[in-house]
Structures are given as C-alpha cells and as structure tokens.
Amino acid sequence: MTALVDDLISLLEPRRVLSEPEHLITYGFDGTAALHGDASVVVLPVNSAEIVAIVQYAAQRKIPIVSRGSGTGLSGGSIPVPGGIILCLVKMDRILELDEKNLTVLVEAGAITQKVAEAADGIGLLYPPDPGSMKISTIGGNVAENSGGLRGLKYGITRDYVMGMEVVLANGDLVWLGSKCVKDVAGYSMKDVFVGSEGTLGIMTKILLKLVPKPAAKKTVLATFVRMSDAADTVSAIIAAKIIPCTLEFLDRVTIGCVEDYAKVGLPRDAAAILLMESDGHPAVVEEQVATMERIARECGAVSVVVARDAEHAAQLATARRAAFSALARVSPTTILEDATVPRSELTRMINFIQEVSERHRLKVGIFGHMGDGNLHPTFLTDERNHEEMERVEMAMAEIFTFAVQLGGTITGEHGVGLAKKRFLPAAIGDASLGLMRQLKRALDPDNILNPGKIFD
Amino acid sequence: MTALVDDLISLLEPRRVLSEPEHLITYGFDGTAALHGDASVVVLPVNSAEIVAIVQYAAQRKIPIVSRGSGTGLSGGSIPVPGGIILCLVKMDRILELDEKNLTVLVEAGAITQKVAEAADGIGLLYPPDPGSMKISTIGGNVAENSGGLRGLKYGITRDYVMGMEVVLANGDLVWLGSKCVKDVAGYSMKDVFVGSEGTLGIMTKILLKLVPKPAAKKTVLATFVRMSDAADTVSAIIAAKIIPCTLEFLDRVTIGCVEDYAKVGLPRDAAAILLMESDGHPAVVEEQVATMERIARECGAVSVVVARDAEHAAQLATARRAAFSALARVSPTTILEDATVPRSELTRMINFIQEVSERHRLKVGIFGHMGDGNLHPTFLTDERNHEEMERVEMAMAEIFTFAVQLGGTITGEHGVGLAKKRFLPAAIGDASLGLMRQLKRALDPDNILNPGKIFD
C-alpha cells in the first residue's frame, strides 16, 4: 500500500493524496445506511489531466478506482472497494461557462448542484433537477446516479439536462461527448450511456447542462386528507385535468407524526395523508392551476386546503415535506430510505402494500415521496445492531421490490443500484436485460477496474 | 438466394416474403438522394415472434439484416446491404395501449407517426415530435434515427419521449427495456443506447412513448426581413427575452423565390429571410409571447410582421415553410437536403458560410430550417447525372460539415449518419468517440449482422 501511495504522490501533490486513518475513515461511507468499506487511499485531483494519469496508472496495474463526489449517494455506489483508489472530485468544482445565448452551463464534475442552480438563477435561468441532497451533492454524482428530485413530474430528471460531457475512459483516454446542439444525431448517443452508469463505465470530469427560462411565478398548496385513497384520487384527478404541477409530494400518517414531533408545524396528527402541490410558470397559468387543484382536492374529500399567501407562507407549508427525512431519521438509530417506484396509476396499491408488509413484519415505516411521478420513499425506522430486525427489514424490502416490479414499476426511481440493490436487480429486469448491461460493461471496462462490484458482480 | 427465400417462407407466410424484381426495386431506395442498393429479399413480419425467428435464422448463418419502416430516411440508413434480408415493419402498425392515467402510449414499431399523434390528440394529449415525414414515417424509424422536427426547441426530440421498448437483439433474444415510470434508474439505461442506433444494434418491435397535455392555444406569426442578420437578431432577442416558442423556422432568399414560384402565396421576392414563429400553451401566455415576438421582430428591422387571425390564416402563413422542400425539389432533378447544425449563437456565421461556399463552388443552394435549435437544412439543387457538379456538391458539403463542427455543432442534427455521412463522422467526433461507438457495436452485435456498414464500416 505504501508503494501505491508513493506512486500516487508522484502523480499529484502529496497533500492531495490521503492515506492517514483519520482521513480514510470518513471515505468508508456514503449516505447509505448500514453500508461501509475500508478505504486504502484517497486522491483529490484538480484537473482532467491528473485523472487521466491516475487512470492510466491504475489500468496498467488493474487497480480498482471508485470515483465519488460529496458522498451523499443512497445506494452505496461510492463505498470503497478493497485495495482500490478513491478518486474524489470535489476539488474540481468550477463553473466554467454560463452561455446565455445557448441556454447552457459548463461545469466541472465536482461543482455543488446548488451552486450550479444559483449560477443559472443569477441570469434568470433555471436548472430544474433538485435532488434532496442538492445543497451538498456534486453535479457529477447527480449525473452518475441520474438523480431525480421533487420537480421530476414536470421537468424530468438529470438525464434530461445533460447535453455533453468530458469523460476519462477505463483505458485513460479522455473523450468529449455531445454538444450544445439541441439536435445532434452523429452516431450513438454515448453520453446517455454514461448518465446513470454509477461510476462503472468512465469518470466524468466536465458536464454541459441545459438550462430553461426561470418561471415567473410559483404558488404552493397544502391539502390534508383523513383517507389515503382521497389523496391518491386527488393526484389522479389533477392529471386527468391535464395539469402537470411542478411538485406533487405526499406524507403518510407516520411521517406526519414524526414531522410534528420534530418541527411542530401544526399538522393534524389524525390525518392519513398530506399533499404538497406547487404550480410554477406564467402567473395566469399558476393562478388557474392552483384554483383547480384546490377545487379538486376539496371534491376528493380533503379536510383542509391551504393556499400559501406569499413566498414566506409557501416555505412554511413546504417545511413539512422538507423536514420529512430528518424527522424520520431521529426516531431510530438506523433509517433505511428506499425508492420503490410505480406507474402513477398504481400508487394506492403500492402504498397499501407497503403498509401491510411492514405491519406483517412488525416494522415501523414512514412513507413520503413524489406522488406525481410514482416515486415513493418507504423509510424503515430500525437499528442496524438488531440483526433479527434487520432481517425482517430485508424481507419486507424484497417483497416491496417484487410487488413494485409486478405493478410495472422499478426497484429504484432515483437512488441507483450500487451495492444496496444489486441483489434485487436480476429478478427486477430479467436475464436478457442484465446480460445487455454486462456486455456494455465488458466492452467499456474489460479489466473491470471502474467501481467493480457495483450494480452487478 | 432461392434457398434463402424458401427458408424465410418457412418462417413466415409466402405472401409476406417478397423476392420478385418488381417488388425488390422499390426497396432499393429510401428518402435519400443519389443512394441506392439492390435488395435480395424482403420480409414483412406481423409480430415479434416472427422477427425473433428471422433474426435467429440470420444469426446462425451470419446473414445481414436491414430493418426499416416506410423508408423516408434521409441518410441512407435503410438502403439494402448485398445479400441481406430487408426486414420491413410496416405490417406491425397497431396502437396497443393508450394510458390516460400515466400519460403513455404503447405502439408497434411500424405504426405511422401521424396515427400515433392522432391517437394522443383524441384523448386531449400531445405526442410532440413532428418530423417532416410524419404523415408516412413509422415511429420505429423515428426512434431508430432519433428524429427531430419543428417543435424541437420547446419540446425536444424523439429520445425525450421514449420511455421503454421491446427489442430483438442480434442473437435473437427478445428483451423489454424501460418502464412507465418517469424515474427509473435500475441499471444502465439500455433503451437510450437503442434510440438513434439506426438499426445497427437491435430491431425495435414495440415502443412506449410519453405524452403531454395538449396546449390549449396556439398562435402563428410571420415576419419578413431584408437582411439575414436582422432575422438572426430577432431569434437571439426572443431567447434573451426568455421565450421558448414551439416553432422558430426560417427560409432564405432562394427558398422564398422557389416557394413563390411553386405555391404563389404572395411572399416578397426581395426578402432575405422569413421567420415563422409559433407559440403554444395557455391562451394568456400565447397572447403575451406573440405580442413580444411581434415587437422584437419590428425592433430588429422586420419589414413586415403578420399575426394570424385564426387557425385557417395560421395554416396559410405556415404554407411557405411547409412547401419549402417540395418547392426546392422541383427546381432540379436531384435535391440534396442536408442538416448541418450549430449552437443557436452561431447561426448567422453558419448561414453566411453556406452561402459563400456555395457561390465559390458555383452551386445553387436554398437554406431553410429550424432556427430555434440551430438545425439548418442547406439544400443543394443539382443533378446526380452531372458527375462534375456532384463532385463540387461533395466538396461544399465537406467544408460545411467541417465548419459546423468548428463552431461546436454537428454534421447531422436530425437525419442520422447512415451511409450518407459516414465518411464525415470520424473527423467530426474524433477517434476516441468513434472507438467507443465501435466497442458498443462489437459488444451488442459481434457478428455484425444488423445493418452492417451503416454509421461506420
């Protein structure tokens, strides 16, 4: 290991090669509960050339490389691989070019998502993807995981905004893919192969993102229901009314209780569900959509519907949803946040199933998530030191994923497969589909040095 | 060849295996000028199982397969390969499921694009991609070429609407990729590998498409300019005003003259450029955007700006743009329609360059296209029997593609590479990028039986 560290120091500055235990311990984790690995050495490159040098070095010796950003991932994608190099991109965090004429921004992969969004905002533009971790996550991590967020229903996900990228391939080649053109069909769209590839096919160093005009207005509505099915009916009726809100989030009874314990925002503890609905765009459109959503919620049986008076009131209403994960996380030592996702039409069946399974396995679960796009976050409140309970969590999760797939859904809507879900992947997508992915991996990384063991073995 | 025909007849009905010269001759062409191949045998499968059987048969014997739809392609992608099987999907044209709750439609690959759009329209939804050939093109062809259209700036391209697909792989395996979930990150997004792969990686049999609510209003504006640069300034100012119109099309002087000769719609022959601008969405937004676009066009020097009074008037104004290709095509025996594309900010430089190059090579060129997304259609009016002139067309095209790439653009915005552009691809994207594409092709089609020789050798 000392030889490896010495070699890496010769490629970078000594202070950007970390090998002391007190440094390494923090790189053994990401945002995923109950997963951990031992990091051997961490490198902090400052430019693409250094990454090329590191990959060439590792490729010659078949040393694994795990690339990562801020480590906020929720599927264990950046957990260390034994004997491997942790390549952390956080020092490559520059916003290189804001192009107002072409509505694009070029950034280094280690740029913080929030900073990218703020840069766009500064010139009246919007970078729509807003994963929950955006204040600390890197854009490279978002692209590697193809992150979602709260605005997915209306604005889509990270992939929809990636126009181009610079990538270091497994052999050390540096390649640019894509362009500033909205339309570009010169050969296979290789950039789309790397989006969502979880660090297993290449290391993204620069990313070209599409921006859109910032909506002129935004309005927030909070509706409370005593029956879960009324909330689901509201969502269906909104879509049937041809309204695509920018946010359509929900919290179940357990989550409402935890939020109220934590943030004391005055939520009714007897409610079965809360829907947070937001419309953005032209003021006239927002007014109309909000009025319609309010009416629909009442018709579907909402016991209360509150429309935010102003931005401050809106932020207050949104607190319940924003605080959901923190509120659940403080209840138990271990919080297992899942992202089973189903077609919108199957939401009620899925929510009922999660509640039934959790009761049967005597588990405490809070459910919240993105109702508009069918992306649920069943969150198990448990303790990883209690092995017997963890086994029951595992069993419940397996049943939930199986049912999600039966309903035409997926085992992961926005967190990725990583280590956390790889045992569920074969049954979820089938042998032929998995075989295709393996062929792709072997073609692009024949020696399996890039994040080996993630997604599949 | 008789043995091949007999074998194929044993896999399908005799009447769906075509081998008579009068049938084969029509399958030797697609929509691309000056390209032709000799078809040996054509099969017309009616379901996925038949395609699996055909591919298994061909894979065992390493017989090439060229899959195609209506043959409207503009890069020679469906031109026959010597000794190969032409697999034509037009008999698989059913719309299988319209899902109003999840805003999706599942279709067979041979469904006509226009029929898919009409089915969506029937339930108040919109399938946005509108390639020029949509009245006869198949959706499978659109997905294989990742087709664009007039609404690309606001609504994106075909890829943005593909949620899933059934594909027959090169080994005959049948695989389903994707889901109805807006968010699905369970492993690599293999569907995105097949979108735009021009029939070289697999044969798509079914396609799941995303739909959006139909805009409530639409309005059309036609602006005329005596200076090309004024039209370009108008486009820039519209984007700077944070307006994303659904259509932003232009015609140059040559095209205007040809359209006027052909359709006599009263266009001013001394105009240097015409811009056709359309806004769609909520009526209040449309009114406001149209008023702003009208003001901007006048401020930028438009000599006339006409806002359509009603749908009929709008259709009349749009005639000039719709008739552009037909009007140019009747001038000369051969019409070479290109689709060089540049970032929006480089449009003026590109248009000037195309005009300068064409003059220098003594060629007649009309330019029209999608100004909003930088996707130009320089159209050479020539005669393929005049070999000396065709050589000059080749030289001009090579210069145009080189310049487009220098400006950060691409050699093809929406037509694909096929046969027509494969000699330009290596210089355009570089060795590393091309190497990646070859690795992908080898991994998914190791015996090179699927549309061999298209995109690259």
Side-chain angles (χ1 to χ4, degrees):
Chain A
M1 199 47 67
T2 322
L4 172 61
V5 171
D6 289 346
D7 287 346
L8 290 169
I9 286 174
S10 75
L11 298 174
L12 289 87
E13 294 173 289
R15 67 192 174 92
R16 292 191 285 106
V17 179
L18 311 180
S19 59
E20 302 78 11
E22 64 272 27
H23 279 134
L24 296 181
I25 201 159
T26 60
Y27 288 89
F29 302 88
D30 65 6
T32 320
L35 281 178
H36 167 257
D38 291 318
S40 311
V41 60
V42 178
V43 291
L44 297 157
V46 293
N47 58 46
S48 305
E50 287 187 348
I51 297 180
V52 166
I54 295 162
V55 175
Q56 283 174 342
Y57 169 85
Q60 278 165 11
R61 291 158 187 80
K62 299 196 177 22
I63 300 169
I65 299 178
V66 178
S67 56
R68 56 168 273 163
S70 302
T72 56
L74 291 166
S75 55
S78 57
I79 297 292
V81 166
I85 299 166
I86 300 286
L87 193 154
C88 180
L89 286 108
V90 294
K91 292 207 181 294
M92 292 173 61
D93 63 350
R94 289 179 301 164
I95 291 169
L96 300 170
E97 185 204 50
L98 262 170
D99 183 342
E100 250 178 293
K101 288 189 175 165
N102 294 305
L103 305 182
T104 60
V105 59
L106 178 68
V107 300
E108 287 185 319
I112 302 298
T113 314
Q114 176 84 25
K115 298 276 180 199
V116 176
E118 285 168 7
D121 190 75
I123 55 166
L125 296 174
L126 175 72
Y127 173 66
D130 59 346
S133 55
M134 70 183 290
K135 283 184 186 165
I136 43 170
S137 68
T138 63
I139 201 82
N142 292 177
V143 177
E145 300 294 323
N146 189 16
S147 303
L150 274 64
R151 291 192 279 236
L153 173 61
K154 176 168 175 179
Y155 287 104
I157 52 176
T158 303
R159 177 184 304 281
D160 301 313
Y161 296 88
V162 179
M163 299 191 75
M165 58 174 67
E166 186 187 77
V167 190
V168 179
L169 304 178
N171 62 4
D173 280 358
L174 186 70
V175 57
W176 174 263
L177 306 170
S179 72
K180 282 186 183 175
C181 299
V182 179
K183 294 172 173 172
D184 185 351
V185 292
Y188 307 145
S189 181
M190 295 306 302
K191 74 175 169 63
D192 279 292
V193 169
F194 291 94
V195 178
S197 66
E198 306 192 17
T200 65
L201 299 179
I203 299 169
M204 288 172 276
T205 47
K206 290 176 189 159
I207 296 159
L208 179 69
L209 296 165
K210 176 174 122 174
L211 303 173
V212 300
K214 193 161 65 172
K218 185 175 179 174
K219 214 151 179 182
T220 304
V221 186
L222 192 78
T224 308
F225 302 86
V226 290
R227 281 186 301 271
M228 186 66 229
S229 59
D230 292 347
D233 288 348
T234 302
V235 171
S236 298
I238 287 170
I239 302 296
K242 308 284 186 284
I243 293 176
I244 306 287
C246 74
T247 307
L248 204 43
E249 296 287 308
F250 105 108
L251 273 64
D252 77 342
R253 193 190 305 270
V254 171
T255 312
I256 293 168
C258 292
V259 167
E260 199 46 31
D261 290 342
Y262 171 64
K264 303 199 172 44
V265 285
L267 301 177
R269 288 177 185 274
D270 55 343
I274 281 176
L275 278 186
L276 178 77
M277 306 179 274
E278 289 183 313
S279 166
D280 72 359
H282 186 282
V285 178
V286 170
E287 282 303 324
E288 217 174 279
Q289 288 192 346
V290 162
T292 308
M293 292 197 293
E294 187 184 355
R295 178 179 54 74
I296 287 173
R298 290 192 197 283
E299 285 171 4
C300 290
V303 290
S304 107
V305 185
V306 183
V307 180
R309 289 180 302 276
D310 50 33
E312 200 186 331
H313 190 202
Q316 202 183 314
L317 295 183
T319 302
R321 170 62 183 91
R322 289 223 191 92
F325 182 61
S326 310
L328 290 168
R330 66 195 275 280
V331 174
S332 306
T334 306
T335 315
I336 303 204
L337 176 69
E338 281 310 330
D339 66 333
T341 303
V342 293
R344 195 184 307 113
S345 58
E346 305 292 352
L347 272 169
T348 309
R349 288 176 71 188
M350 192 69 216
I351 292 167
N352 290 341
F353 184 82
I354 293 168
Q355 287 172 339
E356 182 272 312
V357 165
S358 305
E359 272 172 42
R360 181 152 43 78
H361 288 290
R362 293 169 289 119
L363 295 167
K364 186 153 191 181
V365 70
I367 314 177
F368 65 99
H370 319 300
M371 198 94 167
D373 50 31
N375 180 197
L376 297 173
H377 291 309
T379 306
F380 292 97
L381 311 178
T382 179
D383 184 345
E384 61 183 298
R385 293 162 302 188
N386 182 341
H387 298 292
E388 185 274 329
E389 186 171 280
M390 285 299 280
E391 274 172 31
R392 283 184 278 124
V393 170
E394 283 287 314
M395 283 188 287
M397 268 167 41
E399 288 187 46
I400 288 168
F401 294 147
T402 303
F403 193 63
V405 171
Q406 275 172 21
L407 296 179
T410 174
I411 59 171
T412 174
E414 56 181 8
H415 296 167
V417 177
L419 284 179
K421 298 208 173 162
K422 73 175 181 175
R423 67 191 175 287
F424 303 113
L425 189 64
I429 63 171
D431 289 344
S433 199
L434 193 65
L436 263 180
M437 293 183 193
R438 287 185 192 279
Q439 284 172 328
L440 181 61
K441 170 71 174 174
R442 271 197 298 268
L444 268 58
D445 180 20
D447 291 325
N448 195 25
I449 66 161
L450 297 176
N451 214 5
K454 308 296 168 67
I455 305 181
F456 39 64
D457 282 313
Chain B
M1 200 48 67
T2 321
L4 173 61
V5 172
D6 289 345
D7 288 346
L8 290 169
I9 286 174
S10 75
L11 297 175
L12 289 87
E13 295 173 290
R15 66 193 175 92
R16 292 191 285 107
V17 179
L18 311 179
S19 60
E20 302 76 12
E22 63 273 26
H23 280 134
L24 296 181
I25 200 159
T26 61
Y27 288 90
F29 302 87
D30 64 6
T32 321
L35 281 178
H36 168 255
D38 291 318
S40 312
V41 60
V42 178
V43 290
L44 298 158
V46 292
N47 58 46
S48 306
E50 287 186 348
I51 298 180
V52 166
I54 295 162
V55 175
Q56 283 175 341
Y57 169 87
Q60 278 166 11
R61 290 156 187 82
K62 300 194 174 27
I63 300 170
I65 299 178
V66 178
S67 56
R68 57 168 274 164
S70 303
T72 55
L74 291 165
S75 55
S78 56
I79 297 292
V81 166
I85 299 166
I86 300 286
L87 193 154
C88 180
L89 286 107
V90 293
K91 292 207 180 292
M92 290 172 62
D93 64 350
R94 288 179 301 163
I95 291 170
L96 300 171
E97 185 203 50
L98 262 171
D99 183 341
E100 249 179 294
K101 288 189 174 166
N102 294 305
L103 305 181
T104 60
V105 59
L106 178 68
V107 299
E108 288 185 319
I112 302 298
T113 314
Q114 176 83 26
K115 299 277 180 197
V116 177
E118 285 167 6
D121 189 76
I123 55 166
L125 297 173
L126 175 72
Y127 174 66
D130 58 345
S133 55
M134 71 184 289
K135 283 184 188 165
I136 43 170
S137 68
T138 63
I139 201 80
N142 292 177
V143 176
E145 300 294 323
N146 188 16
S147 302
L150 274 64
R151 291 193 280 235
L153 174 60
K154 177 169 176 178
Y155 288 102
I157 53 177
T158 302
R159 176 185 304 282
D160 301 314
Y161 296 88
V162 179
M163 300 191 75
M165 58 174 67
E166 185 187 77
V167 190
V168 180
L169 305 177
N171 62 4
D173 279 357
L174 186 71
V175 55
W176 174 262
L177 306 170
S179 72
K180 283 186 184 176
C181 300
V182 179
K183 293 171 170 171
D184 185 352
V185 293
Y188 307 145
S189 181
M190 296 306 303
K191 75 175 168 65
D192 279 292
V193 169
F194 291 94
V195 178
S197 66
E198 306 191 18
T200 66
L201 299 178
I203 299 169
M204 287 172 277
T205 46
K206 290 176 189 159
I207 297 160
L208 179 70
L209 297 165
K210 177 174 121 174
L211 303 173
V212 299
K214 193 161 64 171
K218 186 174 178 176
K219 214 151 179 182
T220 304
V221 186
L222 192 78
T224 308
F225 302 85
V226 290
R227 280 186 303 269
M228 186 65 229
S229 59
D230 292 347
D233 288 349
T234 302
V235 171
S236 297
I238 287 170
I239 302 296
K242 308 285 187 280
I243 293 176
I244 306 287
C246 74
T247 307
L248 205 43
E249 296 287 307
F250 106 108
L251 275 64
D252 77 342
R253 192 190 306 271
V254 171
T255 311
I256 292 168
C258 292
V259 168
E260 201 44 34
D261 290 342
Y262 171 63
K264 304 199 173 44
V265 285
L267 301 178
R269 288 177 184 273
D270 55 343
I274 280 176
L275 278 187
L276 179 77
M277 306 179 274
E278 290 184 313
S279 166
D280 71 359
H282 187 282
V285 179
V286 170
E287 281 304 323
E288 217 174 281
Q289 287 193 345
V290 162
T292 307
M293 292 197 292
E294 185 182 358
R295 178 179 55 75
I296 287 174
R298 289 193 197 280
E299 284 170 5
C300 289
V303 289
S304 105
V305 185
V306 183
V307 180
R309 289 179 303 275
D310 50 34
E312 199 186 333
H313 191 200
Q316 202 183 315
L317 295 183
T319 301
R321 169 62 182 89
R322 289 223 193 93
F325 181 62
S326 310
L328 290 167
R330 65 194 275 280
V331 174
S332 307
T334 306
T335 314
I336 303 207
L337 176 69
E338 281 310 329
D339 67 332
T341 302
V342 292
R344 194 184 308 113
S345 57
E346 305 292 352
L347 271 169
T348 308
R349 287 176 72 188
M350 192 69 217
I351 291 167
N352 290 342
F353 184 83
I354 293 169
Q355 288 173 338
E356 182 271 312
V357 164
S358 305
E359 270 171 44
R360 182 153 43 77
H361 288 289
R362 294 169 287 120
L363 296 167
K364 184 153 193 183
V365 71
I367 313 177
F368 65 99
H370 319 300
M371 199 93 166
D373 50 30
N375 180 198
L376 297 173
H377 292 309
T379 305
F380 291 96
L381 312 178
T382 180
D383 184 345
E384 61 183 297
R385 292 162 300 187
N386 181 341
H387 297 293
E388 187 273 329
E389 186 171 279
M390 286 298 281
E391 275 173 30
R392 283 183 279 124
V393 170
E394 283 286 315
M395 283 189 285
M397 269 167 41
E399 287 187 47
I400 288 168
F401 294 147
T402 303
F403 193 64
V405 171
Q406 275 172 23
L407 296 179
T410 175
I411 59 171
T412 173
E414 57 182 8
H415 296 168
V417 177
L419 284 178
K421 297 208 173 161
K422 72 176 183 175
R423 67 191 177 286
F424 302 113
L425 188 65
I429 64 170
D431 289 343
S433 199
L434 192 65
L436 263 182
M437 293 183 194
R438 286 185 192 279
Q439 283 171 331
L440 182 60
K441 169 71 173 173
R442 271 196 299 266
L444 268 58
D445 180 20
D447 291 325
N448 196 25
I449 66 161
L450 297 176
N451 214 4
K454 308 296 167 68
I455 305 181
F456 38 63
D457 283 314

